Each structure stands twice: as structure tokens, then as C-alpha cells.
Amino acid sequence: MTAKRTMTLQRASATNYLVAILLCLCLSMSLNTAAAFCPPQSSAKKTFNQHRLTTLSSTRSNIEDTTIADIEEITTFATDNGVELSFTTTGPGYRGVAVSKNDPENILGYIEGFIRPSGKILHADKMEIFKGALSSARREEQTFSGGGTFLGPGLLIAFVCLLHGKESGCEMCEFLAIDDADFQHKRLMRYYRTAGFREVRYVGEELKDIPDRLVWGGCGMLMTESIDSILLKWTRIIRAGRAKMEE
């Protein structure tokens, strides 16, 4: 009886020992698995935040690349660069003017024209930028940048005029790069090509050009472009100038 009881106790101890070993192994495997597949919480949070910030920045950049600046953005940019803009209309006619912020009597330039009644075309009749006025503005204010972009205050005036045309239902802008002096004409052509306009045809002194000369009042290169495409191109130029100011 005693021998049988001893053997039973030994078997029970052996069984309990095996169970204990198995429990330890399972617990060990469980702990090792958790350690292998659970990344630190702070690392995961940081990665998510960086991805979110990058995505938001990219989204803002894409929106800015596809939206046209409004009148508030343009006038604010102009003021920050020493230029005050004004715009008036009389019937189909319009006139945009840029003056020095520090001297409202100093007119830097202007653009005038009208909306053609026979089509969705903004007719730019005249544009003048006064070099003497720009020089005077620079003398009065050494930080005067001439409008904040490489296209000068002419871009700012034209932007306001084209916004008016867009709001009035115009789709295209047309003007004549006047040819009254060979050197000046070449400079005008370079400026307008850089601004994004394309050539249509040369208006000369031949009989076939008489109707165009009556419309434009002289000889030169007729130029045009879509208002939306020009405004989008100029918006990018202006926003690049703004970003440079903020550096």
C-alpha cells in the first residue's frame, strides 16, 4: 500500500513538473512575440505626424498651383512692394493705374482699354510704364523693388485689368505690340513673350492690314492669349515673389 501511494505521488509530481515547464515555455513565447511585433508608441506617432504634415503641405502647394489670385491677394502683394493700384471703369472702358506707395502723385504706369461688344475679348489699347517715375520711387525708398517681380509694376496693373475681363465674361486678351521704333519693338516683344503672350500676325502697311490699323491705330505685332492661362502663370510668379519675401 505504501509503495503504491509513493508511486502515485511521484507520478503526480512528474505531471505537475511537466505542466509547469509547459506554462513557462508558453509564457516565454508570449513575451518574446509581444516584444518583437509592438513598436514603440512614440515612434509610431511621430511617423504619422510627419506624414500628415507632408501631405497637408503638398495639398496646399497643389491648391496654390491651380488657383488664380484674387484682387485682395494682388493689391496686398503690390502694397507690400511699394505700389498702390487703382482701377476704374466707364461703360465698356477700363483703366488701371499704379502709383508709388510713398508718393501717390508719382504715377508709375497705367493700362487702358475696353471690352469688345462683339466678342468675349478684352481689348488692351494702351500700356505705359514710366522709367523716370520708377527711378524717382527708388530714390525715395531704397527698398522699392519695382513691383516685386521681374515683370515690374506692369504685371500688377495688367493682372487687375485681366481679372476685370474675366469677371465680365471675357475669355481672351488682345493687344498690339506697337512698332514705332525697331529697338523698342524688340524689347516689347521680349517682354510680352516672357509674360506669356503669343503672336498672331504682324499688322503692317499693306492694304489687307487697313482694318487692323483702324482698330489699333498703328503697325505692330498682334498678340493674344487665354485670360485664365495668363492669370495662372502670373499668379505663380507673384506667389514665388511672396515666398522670396518671406524667406
Side-chain angles (χ1 to χ4, degrees), residues 7-230:
M7 290 177 64
T8 301
L9 290 173
Q10 288 177 345
R11 287 174 185 170
S13 298
T15 301
N16 292 337
Y17 180 73
L18 288 174
V19 171
I21 290 175
L22 288 173
L23 287 174
C24 288
L25 287 173
C26 289
L27 181 60
S28 176
M29 290 175 65
S30 176
L31 290 173
N32 288 338
T33 302
F37 291 98
C38 290
Q41 185 68 23
S42 59
S43 176
K45 185 176 181 180
K46 181 178 180 181
T47 302
F48 172 77
N49 287 340
Q50 287 177 341
H51 175 71
R52 183 171 180 271
L53 289 173
T54 302
T55 302
L56 290 174
S57 177
S58 176
T59 301
R60 283 195 295 267
S61 178
N62 290 336
I63 291 173
E64 285 204 347
D65 286 344
T66 57
T67 58
I68 293 173
D70 58 19
I71 188 66
E72 182 179 358
E73 183 175 352
I74 296 305
T75 53
T76 299
F77 179 81
T79 301
D80 290 343
N81 285 277
V83 178
E84 294 289 349
L85 299 172
S86 64
F87 184 81
T88 56
T89 60
T90 303
Y94 66 86
R95 179 180 173 89
V97 180
V99 301
S100 171
K101 177 182 176 181
N102 293 329
D103 181 9
E105 299 298 321
N106 184 13
I107 299 176
L108 305 175
Y110 71 93
I111 297 176
E112 59 186 24
F114 57 89
I115 296 174
R116 292 186 194 170
S118 58
K120 297 181 178 181
I121 297 176
L122 184 73
H123 182 114
D125 196 49
K126 195 172 185 180
M127 172 180 174
E128 283 193 85
I129 302 297
F130 304 112
K131 289 184 179 180
L134 292 173
S135 298
S136 176
R138 289 190 179 95
R139 285 194 301 270
E140 293 175 0
E141 181 59 57
Q142 293 183 353
T143 60
F144 178 74
S145 62
T149 75
F150 60 91
L151 291 172
L155 179 145
L156 302 175
I157 311 170
F159 203 112
V160 175
C161 295
L162 264 63
L163 276 180
H164 167 68
K166 178 179 174 64
E167 292 172 357
S168 301
C170 295
E171 297 175 356
M172 304 293 293
C173 175
E174 282 190 0
F175 62 92
L176 191 76
I178 199 73
D179 187 5
D180 54 4
D182 187 54
F183 176 71
Q184 180 66 16
H185 180 64
K186 290 179 179 178
R187 290 183 62 185
L188 284 175
M189 291 299 297
R190 283 196 301 269
Y191 179 87
Y192 292 131
R193 288 193 194 106
T194 303
F197 293 98
R198 55 186 171 86
E199 303 167 13
V200 179
R201 62 180 176 277
Y202 186 82
V203 177
E205 297 180 347
E206 299 180 12
L207 288 176
K208 65 180 179 65
D209 295 320
I210 290 177
D212 284 326
R213 287 207 309 274
L214 291 175
V215 172
W216 297 103
C219 299
M221 182 63 71
L222 181 61
M223 306 193 78
T224 188
E225 192 49 81
S226 158
I227 288 178
D228 279 348
S229 65
I230 288 293

